[in-house]
Amino acid sequence: MKSAIQVFIGLLFFTVFAQSGETSDIVVEYTIKSLRDIEEIESEEAQNIVKETILLMDDFQFELLANKDVALFKMKEQLVSDDIPKYIYNIAVVSCDGEEVWYTDKRNNTKIVAEQGSGEPVCLTYDQENQWEIEAYQKQIGDFNCYKATTVRKEGKRTLDVAAWFTTDIPYSFGPLGFNGLPGVILELRISSVVYTASKITLDKREKIIQPKCVFKESYEGYYKRMDERMNAIINQGD
C-alpha cells in the first residue's frame, strides 16, 4: 500500500467530449491548494471573496488519464451546494484553470486546450515548448521519490513560474495542465499560487481518452493576446 497515494484498480467517471479509440493505462487524481497570501489584498471585501474561493477550491478534484502517447487532464464534476453563490464558484473554477481541458498527443506534437466556460467551447492550439530545468532537489510524495523541475508558461503579457515534482517510478511523461516532457509523471505541480498534488493513482485503468471537439479554434498565443487587448480597452475606458 502506498501511504499518501492510494494505488488500486477501480472505476472512475468522466465526461465524454467526442469519440476516440484511445484508452488510458493510468489515471491520476489530484487535489488542489491555493497559496495566495490574503493579507496582501487591501480591500476587506475582496479578502472575504478570496477566502470563500480558497475554501471551495479545497474540495475540487482533477484527473489525468494517460497512456504512453496521449493524455487528457480536466477537472472532475463537482457537486455544489445551493448556498454557494454562483459567482464565487466561477471565480474558484477560473482561479485553478478548472474551465480548461488539456489534451496532448506526443506522436504528432498536438496539444489542445478546450475552454469550457460560458458560450461555445473554444479550442486553443498550444505550441509553447516546455524548457525544463531539472534541479538537484528531491522529496517524497507518498512512497514515491520525486525530482524537481522548473519552467515558465506565457499567457499573453504574463509569465507564470512553474515548479513540478515528477517520479521516474511511473514512466508516463505527463502532468496537470498539459505539462509534459519530463522522464516521469508529475505528482505535484505549482503554477503561480496554485498547487496540484496527486492523491490517488489507478494503474492498468482502461478509460477512454477523448480528444475535445470545439466550435471555434484559435491559437493559445492569439487567445491571450486578444484577452490582453480586451482588458486594455476596459482600462482605457476609465481614463
Side-chain angles (χ1 to χ4, degrees), residues 151-183:
T151 188
V152 296
R153 170 166 285 174
K154 294 183 178 180
E155 294 183 351
K157 296 179 179 179
R158 298 196 308 163
T159 298
L160 306 179
D161 292 326
V162 178
W165 292 90
F166 67 95
T167 179
T168 55
D169 294 338
I170 308 176
Y172 291 81
S173 182
F174 295 107
L177 300 176
F179 285 100
N180 68 317
L182 290 168

Side-chain angles (χ1 to χ4, degrees), residues 226-239:
R226 184 162 55 85
M227 292 301 102
D228 285 342
E229 291 173 349
R230 182 179 297 177
M231 182 59 67
N232 288 336
I234 293 173
I235 293 173
N236 292 334
Q237 286 177 357
D239 293 341

Side-chain angles (χ1 to χ4, degrees), residues 75-112:
M75 183 174 171
K76 297 184 70 175
E77 290 188 347
Q78 304 294 139
L79 294 176
V80 183
S81 174
D82 292 337
D83 59 358
I84 296 176
K86 186 175 181 179
Y87 78 96
I88 293 292
Y89 175 78
N90 289 339
I91 292 173
V93 170
V94 171
S95 297
C96 59
D97 295 318
E99 80 283 13
E100 297 180 353
V101 176
W102 286 80
Y103 173 85
T104 306
D105 188 337
K106 295 194 301 181
R107 295 167 301 192
N108 53 22
N109 201 29
T110 295
K111 192 172 291 187
I112 298 172

Side-chain angles (χ1 to χ4, degrees), residues 54-214:
I54 288 175
L55 286 174
L56 186 57
M57 286 166 61
D58 286 343
D59 294 328
F60 288 174
Q61 289 186 319
F62 288 73
E63 63 181 0
L64 173 73
L65 288 72
N67 57 36
K68 293 291 186 182
D69 300 311
V70 180
L72 183 76
F73 179 81
K74 67 182 181 67
M75 183 174 171
K76 297 184 70 175
E77 290 188 347
Q78 304 294 139
L79 294 176
V80 183
S81 174
D82 292 337
D83 59 358
I84 296 176
K86 186 175 181 179
Y87 78 96
I88 293 292
Y89 175 78
N90 289 339
I91 292 173
V93 170
V94 171
S95 297
C96 59
D97 295 318
E99 80 283 13
E100 297 180 353
V101 176
W102 286 80
Y103 173 85
T104 306
D105 188 337
K106 295 194 301 181
R107 295 167 301 192
N108 53 22
N109 201 29
T110 295
K111 192 172 291 187
I112 298 172
V113 192
E115 291 277 350
Q116 303 291 323
S118 59
E120 298 290 355
V122 177
C123 277
L124 309 179
T125 55
Y126 185 92
D127 56 5
Q128 291 183 33
E129 292 291 335
N130 296 134
Q131 301 297 325
W132 291 105
E133 180 178 344
I134 298 178
E135 302 180 0
Y137 301 105
Q138 299 183 41
K139 73 174 181 179
Q140 291 289 119
I141 298 179
D143 286 346
F144 295 101
N145 185 47
C146 295
Y147 303 88
K148 186 179 182 181
T150 57
T151 188
V152 296
R153 170 166 285 174
K154 294 183 178 180
E155 294 183 351
K157 296 179 179 179
R158 298 196 308 163
T159 298
L160 306 179
D161 292 326
V162 178
W165 292 90
F166 67 95
T167 179
T168 55
D169 294 338
I170 308 176
Y172 291 81
S173 182
F174 295 107
L177 300 176
F179 285 100
N180 68 317
L182 290 168
V185 69
I186 297 173
L187 296 187
E188 184 174 289
L189 180 89
R190 176 174 177 173
I191 179 167
S192 190
S193 61
V194 178
V195 180
Y196 302 78
T197 304
S199 59
K200 184 187 301 182
I201 298 173
T202 309
L203 301 173
D204 297 323
K205 181 60 181 174
R206 305 299 178 186
E207 294 283 1
K208 285 187 178 180
I209 299 177
I210 310 299
Q211 179 174 335
K213 287 190 175 181
C214 302

